[in-house]
Amino acid sequence: MTEDTFGRYLVAVIGAGPAGLFASRLLAMNDVHVVLLNRDIIPGGLAEYGIYYDKYKMKEGLRKQFQQILDLPAIDYFGNVKVGETGDFRLPELRAMGFQALLVTVGAQGTKWLGLPGENLVGVYHAKDLVFHYNLLPPFSTQAVRIGRRAALVGAGNVMLDIAHWLIREMKVDEVISVVRRGPNEVKFSKEELKAVVHNLDLAKLFAEVERARPVADAVGQNVDEAKDYILSTLPKGLDPVSKTGFYLDFLASPSRILGNEQGYVNGLEIEDTTLVCSEGEVQAKRLSTRRILDVDTVVFCIGDKVDESFGLPVRRNAFVKNPNPLHPMEGLSFEAFDPDLNRPIDRVFVAGWSREASSGLVGLARKDGENGARAVLDYLQSAPRLVEPKSILDEFKEKLEKLNQPIVNKSDLQKLVDAELVEAEKSGLPAYKFATNDEMLAVMGLKQPIAG
Ligand SMILES: Cc1cc2nc3c(=O)[nH]c(=O)nc-3n(C[C@H](O)[C@H](O)[C@H](O)COP(=O)(O)OP(=O)(O)OC[C@H]3O[C@@H](n4cnc5c(N)ncnc54)[C@H](O)[C@@H]3O)c2cc1C
Ligand SMILES: NC(=O)c1ccc[n+]([C@@H]2O[C@H](COP(=O)([O-])OP(=O)(O)OC[C@H]3O[C@@H](n4cnc5c(N)ncnc54)[C@H](OP(=O)(O)O)[C@@H]3O)[C@@H](O)[C@H]2O)c1
């Protein structure tokens, strides 16, 4: 690319998940040169490391779209680069280097714990520990996980079902209990995801649970038969079971304590009964003080995520704080980072995707949010001071990258990795292959000495 064809503007997009990638494309198509920085070596974020690994067709389709985006000459990709207070570059440093705007699309990397006694016992996980483990994201890929025979999964969303899928069809545990703080009408999972495990569902227990919840649901105007039909309608399309795992939904139950044995291993989950109350136009769970114990040896919190609080932006309600009175709103939403203590927007910093609203929606929504974030940035750039030599700022940035003294992954390196994965997939007869460690990936890209042995 010559000086003449180099974009008029220079923007850093931080995080190459669906939000960051689609935002980068829109920016690149509008006279912006994009520097896309990604913590992981491989782009794609949760599309690569969240979506269940056997959805080969969906994942392959997304990878192709991401590749087309990265093929755009106006996008420079730098993987294995972490931004943030504990990262390789802090936000103020990037701003000072001359990037006209920073669009933060780093997803929701923090862990939402409830602060219950016993959360540190062996056998307690947050869903992302397991999702990243089975989807082979380093370093989670090589971390040992200890899955017992009976697991309680707190939550009733699609992530709960992904974990149930893995425990039931891969780990083949004895029991999986989804602990749902509200009633049958508030499950958040989709029928599509239920198909994988619906034939393991204990229907007698389901019917009993629905009847137990009926008077409570009636009192807030809910019809539990509709909820029952929603679940049962999946049965004809359900996959044949491959294990004898019993799958149960335990409604109106909120976790209060995790019990452990003397060796520090989980041996129970105490749950508190709840009832439903209408408050502020919503049906909410209200704890009653009666408790019971579930006999489990594994507890997984599938309750959504929050953003990384050490990133360097203020956090509220699990996401980075947005300007309540945005200067560049898109579809009525704010994409501008905001400092509530100083009561002012954070200069030239924008947020989108799960960083703007944690654990919300599918890839399509992250794409839309990223694109709207890019539109907000473009709107801002209309009135931003012109850069005299955007390319020289990029060159200086590249020099700083070199000085980091760590392998930086660019687009041509990624192509080598894709080629090596194809070779491995063919060798092993698998539909897809992934290297489980950064060292292996860096070695096949020629960025690190191959590991001996
Ligand atoms: C378990 C699970 C399964 C899912 N399954 C599906 C599904 O089947 N279908 C579907 O449509 N949607 C699914 N989703 C939802 C979908 O994955 C998300 O909507 C989407 O990926 C969010 O996109 P994002 O770009 O905002 O964040 P992410 O996808 O999380 O991407 C964030 C990116 O930022 C990078 N990053 C993080 N921190 C830093 C940092 N400090 N510096 C630099 N880079 C950083 C990461 O490396 C990553 O590439 C699933 C989600 C989960 C959790
Ligand atoms: N295959 C797919 O398509 C797929 C797979 C995975 C994820 N996703 C998407 O990714 C997004 C995130 O999914 P998710 O499952 O993490 O979130 P989710 O759909 O919001 O579900 C979270 C669950 O956790 C419960 N919960 C939250 N806080 C709790 C607490 N303090 N105590 C007890 N329970 C609590 C919620 O209950 P309440 O309802 O009572 O709050 C809810 O049942 C969703 O949009 C989902 O559709 C899609």
Side-chain angles (χ1 to χ4, degrees):
M1 185 173 296
T2 65
E3 282 293 341
D4 299 343
T5 56
F6 198 87
R8 225 170 107 195
Y9 306 104
L10 185 65
V11 169
V13 175
I14 302 154
L21 283 157
F22 284 106
S24 298
R25 183 175 72 166
L26 195 76
L27 291 169
M29 285 159 56
N30 284 279
D31 217 7
V32 177
H33 193 92
V34 176
V35 168
L36 179 53
L37 303 173
N38 198 37
R39 178 200 63 193
D40 303 334
I41 287 177
I42 299 182
L46 287 169
E48 181 68 34
Y49 291 115
I51 294 179
Y52 202 79
Y53 55 87
D54 71 358
K55 293 186 180 175
Y56 297 112
K57 226 170 144 191
M58 178 196 276
K59 289 188 117 160
E60 199 41 47
L62 286 167
R63 276 190 203 122
K64 278 198 182 126
Q65 290 184 56
F66 298 158
Q67 186 55 55
Q68 282 167 5
I69 293 172
L70 292 177
D71 285 343
L72 294 172
I75 299 178
D76 273 312
Y77 177 81
F78 301 109
N80 204 27
V81 179
K82 187 176 169 200
V83 176
E85 292 298 301
T86 58
D88 304 308
F89 298 104
R90 293 168 57 245
L91 289 180
E93 279 177 74
L94 290 173
R95 210 173 19 211
M97 281 179 215
F99 289 103
Q100 285 165 294
L102 309 177
L103 176 55
V104 175
T105 50
V106 292
Q109 308 298 330
T111 304
K112 217 170 104 185
W113 291 107
L114 300 183
L116 303 178
E119 281 180 350
N120 57 348
L121 290 164
V122 182
V124 180
Y125 297 98
H126 196 278
K128 72 161 52 143
D129 299 325
L130 303 184
V131 167
F132 286 164
H133 177 75
Y134 65 60
N135 270 318
L136 298 182
L137 173 67
F140 298 85
S141 44
T142 49
Q143 277 162 7
V145 296
R146 180 189 174 275
I147 301 296
R149 299 306 310 165
R150 295 176 308 285
L153 313 185
V154 180
N158 279 326
V159 169
M160 180 282 291
L161 276 186
D162 274 0
I163 300 292
H165 183 165
W166 184 63
L167 293 174
I168 293 171
R169 298 190 76 87
E170 300 298 327
M171 306 306 283
K172 299 185 172 58
V173 302
D174 297 336
E175 277 181 20
V176 171
I177 309 165
S178 162
V179 177
V180 191
R181 66 173 164 183
R182 295 192 284 165
N185 294 70
E186 278 96 12
V187 295
K188 287 189 171 162
F189 52 73
S190 63
K191 292 183 189 179
E192 187 57 31
E193 301 315 308
L194 184 59
K195 281 185 201 165
V197 290
V198 71
H199 283 299
N200 287 81
L201 199 57
D202 182 325
L203 293 183
K205 174 86 194 297
L206 174 71
F207 297 157
E209 274 296 285
V210 167
E211 290 316 314
R212 189 173 70 85
R214 187 181 293 277
V216 176
D218 280 350
V220 292
Q222 292 179 340
N223 180 354
V224 283
D225 292 321
E226 285 172 9
K228 192 162 84 175
D229 289 348
Y230 178 85
I231 293 172
L232 297 183
S233 66
T234 314
L235 282 169
K237 294 178 191 157
L239 300 189
D240 287 337
V242 295
S243 71
K244 293 204 168 88
T245 311
F247 180 34
Y248 313 95
L249 295 165
D250 205 321
F251 296 114
L252 300 170
S254 207
S256 49
R257 185 162 63 112
I258 304 154
L259 309 173
N261 64 17
E262 279 172 6
Q263 289 75 42
Y265 293 100
V266 173
N267 64 6
L269 175 69
E270 183 186 77
I271 49 177
E272 191 171 339
D273 295 320
T274 63
T275 189
L276 299 177
V277 290
C278 288
S279 173
E280 295 167 13
E282 274 182 24
V283 172
Q284 293 180 0
K286 182 176 169 224
R287 282 174 184 263
L288 304 167
S289 43
T290 46
R291 296 188 169 90
R292 47 203 169 98
I293 307 253
L294 297 179
D295 175 20
V296 294
D297 52 17
T298 308
V299 175
V300 187
F301 288 95
C302 314
I303 57 173
D305 297 310
K306 64 176 177 189
V307 292
D308 174 5
E309 278 167 320
S310 69
F311 184 75
L313 289 176
V315 176
R316 191 179 280 165
R317 282 195 215 100
N318 303 320
F320 295 129
V321 185
K322 278 80 56 187
N323 183 359
N325 301 302
L327 301 169
H328 314 281
M330 291 295 142
E331 299 187 10
L333 297 174
S334 175
F335 292 83
E336 295 149 42
F338 189 76
D339 187 333
D341 292 337
L342 298 176
N343 196 29
R344 64 172 188 230
I346 299 174
D347 188 31
R348 291 180 277 150
V349 179
F350 295 77
V351 294
W354 280 27
S355 284
R356 201 185 64 76
E357 198 170 338
S359 291
S360 172
L362 305 180
V363 166
L365 188 65
R367 170 188 177 156
K368 185 178 173 205
D369 212 67
E371 289 174 345
N372 275 337
R375 286 189 186 99
V377 171
L378 289 168
D379 197 48
Y380 158 75
L381 289 173
Q382 299 307 307
S383 55
R386 285 283 303 268
L387 285 180
V388 186
E389 286 185 274
K391 186 156 185 318
S392 64
I393 295 174
L394 176 64
D395 291 339
E396 277 171 39
F397 176 69
K398 285 182 179 167
E399 279 171 30
K400 290 207 161 69
L401 273 176
E402 271 172 37
K403 286 191 190 134
L404 283 181
N405 207 15
Q406 71 198 40
I408 305 294
V409 175
N410 65 27
K411 293 199 256 186
S412 61
D413 300 321
L414 278 182
Q415 191 51 54
K416 290 182 201 154
L417 178 59
V418 170
D419 293 344
E421 284 172 342
L422 280 176
V423 171
E424 292 299 325
E426 259 172 44
K427 263 201 256 169
S428 53
L430 295 168
Y433 184 88
K434 252 186 199 168
F435 294 98
T437 64
N438 281 351
D439 282 347
E440 287 167 284
M441 287 190 254
L442 293 169
V444 295
M445 290 185 282
L447 297 173
K448 201 166 186 171
Q449 288 297 313
I451 308 128

